[in-house]
Amino acid sequence: MKIVDVSTHPLKLRGDDVYLGAATRAPVEADYYVRPPWRSLYSDRFETLIVRLTCDDGTVGWGECLAPVGPEIAQAIVDRLLAPVLVGADPRGVRPLWSRLTGLMRERGHLVGHQADALAAVDIALWDLAGKAAGLPVHALLGGAFRASVPTYVSGLPVPTDGERAALARKWLAEGASSVKLHLGRGVAEDLATYDAVAATGMRVAVDAHWAYDLADALRLGRALDERGAWFYEAPLVPEDVEGHRELAAALVTPVAVGETLRNRYEFRHWLQARALDIAQPDVGRTGITEAMAIAEVAAAHHVPVAPHHSVGLGVVLAAGLHVAAAVEAMPVFEFQPGPFPVANRILARPLPGGPGSFPVPTAPGLGVDVLLEDL
C-alpha cells in the first residue's frame, strides 16, 4: 500500500453571518476583519484546508487543519514541502512518517504556526488511511475508546443582549444541552452581568475571555467567578504569558483552561510543569492526531484532564477530534460549535450525528467520513 497522490483543497464556505459576528467587525481587508475586543483576524466565511491522500489500491484518506484565515498558506506547505515525501510512502507507518515530516523543517518552526497546521492535516489523513487499511476506526488504533458517546458543551451565544443570550440558553437546554461557554472579554462588569443572566437559566457556565485581560482584571473576574461556582475560565491572559497564568491558576478555585494556541507536547509540558493550566485544550486541527495523543499523555502525567478545543473546522477535523476524545481517559467534555456544525456536515457524504449534548463516537473504519469535494 503506497501513497500515489497528494491533493490539497482550500475551502471558503458561506455560513451564518450572525455566528460570524457581522455586526461587530473592524475591516482589515475585503475578506478579513477584527472583532474587538478580540485581536485576531476573522473571516466572512468558514475557511479550511482539506487534504486528500490517494493510495495505489484506490483507498483515500482525508485530512483537515484548522485554517480559519489564509488556508492557502498551509496548502503551500503541504504541496511544496510535505507531498514529495509522502508520495511512495506506506501510510500505515503513521508515527515514522510523523517523525520524518516534522524533521523536514526542524530548525525552522517545524512544530508551530502554519507548519504545524499543515502537518496536522496530513497526519489526520494518514490515520484515516491506516484505519481503513486495518478495517478499524481510528480510536481502535489509538488503543480503544473509553466511551461510546462524547459529552459536549455549547460554544457561544452569538446574540447581542443578555436577555437574548438567556433565551438562547433556554433553547439549548430544551434541545438537550446542559453546559455553555460564553465568549466574553468585554470588561469585568459586563462579563459578570452576562454570566449571571445565563447562569440563571440553570445552565452550567464556563467563560472564555479570549486573551483580553491583564492579570489584575483577570484576577478580579476570576474571583467573582469563584464566588459564582463557574465551570472553567478559558484564555484569560495573552497566550505568551505562562507566568501570569500560573499566578492566576494558583489564586483561583475555578479551573483555568488553556490550549488552543499550543501545537505540541513540548509547549504543553512547559505550561503543565509551571502549573499554569488546570484543563488542557489541544485542538486536533492544529496538533494532528499523533501529537494530540502525546499531549494527552503528558497531561495525564500531571493529572490534568484534556477537554479538546474545537473551533471553526469542518467535518473531517470534527471527526478526528471525536476519535481523540474517545481515546483519552480523562476527557470531561468536547466543544460543540453550533454555527459551524451545519457547514461542517455540508462537506460530508454522510453527516455526523450529534449536537449540543453529545456526539456518538464514529465506528466505521478510519475517521468514518468521506468528503464531497465535487459539490463544493
Side-chain angles (χ1 to χ4, degrees):
M1 188 178 190
K2 303 292 183 185
I3 298 170
V4 296
D5 183 69
V6 179
S7 62
T8 53
H9 309 272
L11 302 182
K12 301 185 179 186
L13 304 179
R14 289 290 177 185
D16 183 353
D17 280 344
V18 173
Y19 174 83
L20 290 170
T24 57
R25 62 181 57 179
V28 174
E29 57 176 75
D31 293 333
Y32 300 140
Y33 57 91
V34 174
R35 294 165 63 187
W38 311 327
R39 306 179 189 184
S40 298
L41 286 176
Y42 290 81
S43 174
D44 279 322
R45 296 162 291 187
F46 292 100
E47 302 195 11
T48 196
L49 176 70
I50 300 293
V51 171
R52 177 172 58 191
L53 304 182
T54 305
C55 291
D56 52 3
D57 65 354
T59 306
V60 171
W62 296 102
E64 180 186 358
C65 67
L66 182 56
V69 297
E72 301 88 351
I73 302 169
Q75 178 189 27
I77 293 170
V78 175
D79 290 346
R80 192 77 176 91
L81 303 180
L82 305 183
V85 176
L86 289 165
V87 173
D90 186 332
R92 294 167 292 188
V94 180
R95 293 187 67 182
L97 274 171
W98 176 253
S99 179
R100 187 178 175 192
L101 293 171
T102 55
L104 297 175
M105 300 290 285
R106 191 170 187 89
E107 72 279 24
R108 303 164 187 163
H110 65 307
L111 292 181
V112 296
H114 297 290
Q115 180 76 14
D117 299 343
L119 285 163
V122 167
D123 181 71
I124 290 168
L126 289 170
W127 280 105
D128 189 29
L129 282 173
K132 288 172 177 174
L136 294 170
V138 166
H139 58 75
L141 300 187
L142 298 176
F146 284 94
R147 54 197 60 84
S149 179
V150 173
T152 62
Y153 64 87
V154 173
S155 186
L157 298 172
V159 286
T161 70
D162 288 343
E164 291 170 294
R165 292 173 187 128
L168 185 53
R170 286 190 288 269
K171 171 184 173 293
W172 286 122
L173 276 168
E175 294 185 20
S178 61
S179 308
V180 65
K181 182 174 76 179
L182 301 175
H183 296 279
L184 301 177
R186 298 182 175 89
V188 173
E190 186 174 343
D191 284 359
L192 290 174
T194 300
Y195 180 97
D196 290 342
V198 175
T201 68
M203 275 277 203
R204 180 172 58 169
V205 181
V207 168
D208 185 346
H210 284 273
W211 320 107
Y213 289 116
D214 60 21
L215 181 57
D217 279 342
L219 278 166
R220 287 177 57 220
L221 178 57
R223 286 169 178 150
L225 294 175
D226 282 353
E227 294 172 359
R228 288 160 168 80
W231 183 20
F232 63 81
Y233 186 16
E234 180 176 333
L237 308 171
V238 290
E240 57 269 22
D241 188 0
V242 181
E243 181 62 21
H245 281 89
R246 186 199 66 77
E247 291 184 35
L248 189 66
L252 300 180
V253 175
T254 304
V256 172
V258 170
E260 67 178 282
T261 66
L262 308 179
R263 286 169 167 80
N264 61 73
R265 70 195 81 172
Y266 310 107
E267 291 179 310
F268 273 95
R269 180 182 63 184
H270 180 48
W271 282 74
L272 289 160
Q273 287 178 338
R275 295 291 179 184
L277 57 83
D278 302 300
I279 299 173
Q281 296 177 303
D283 192 308
V284 177
R286 288 179 169 141
T287 66
I289 293 172
T290 300
E291 199 66 12
M293 294 304 296
I295 290 163
E297 291 302 314
V298 176
H302 291 81
H303 307 285
V304 169
V306 172
H309 179 271
H310 179 72
S311 184
V312 293
L314 301 185
V316 178
V317 78
L318 174 56
L322 293 175
H323 283 275
V324 168
V328 173
E329 184 174 10
M331 197 296 304
V333 74
F334 186 87
E335 186 167 9
F336 169 67
Q337 292 278 3
F341 185 54
V343 186
N345 269 333
R346 193 190 305 167
I347 73 169
L348 300 180
R350 295 175 302 281
L352 288 166
S358 65
F359 281 106
V361 175
T363 57
L367 294 175
V369 297
D370 287 299
V371 179
L372 299 173
L373 285 175
E374 63 273 13
D375 294 338
L376 300 175

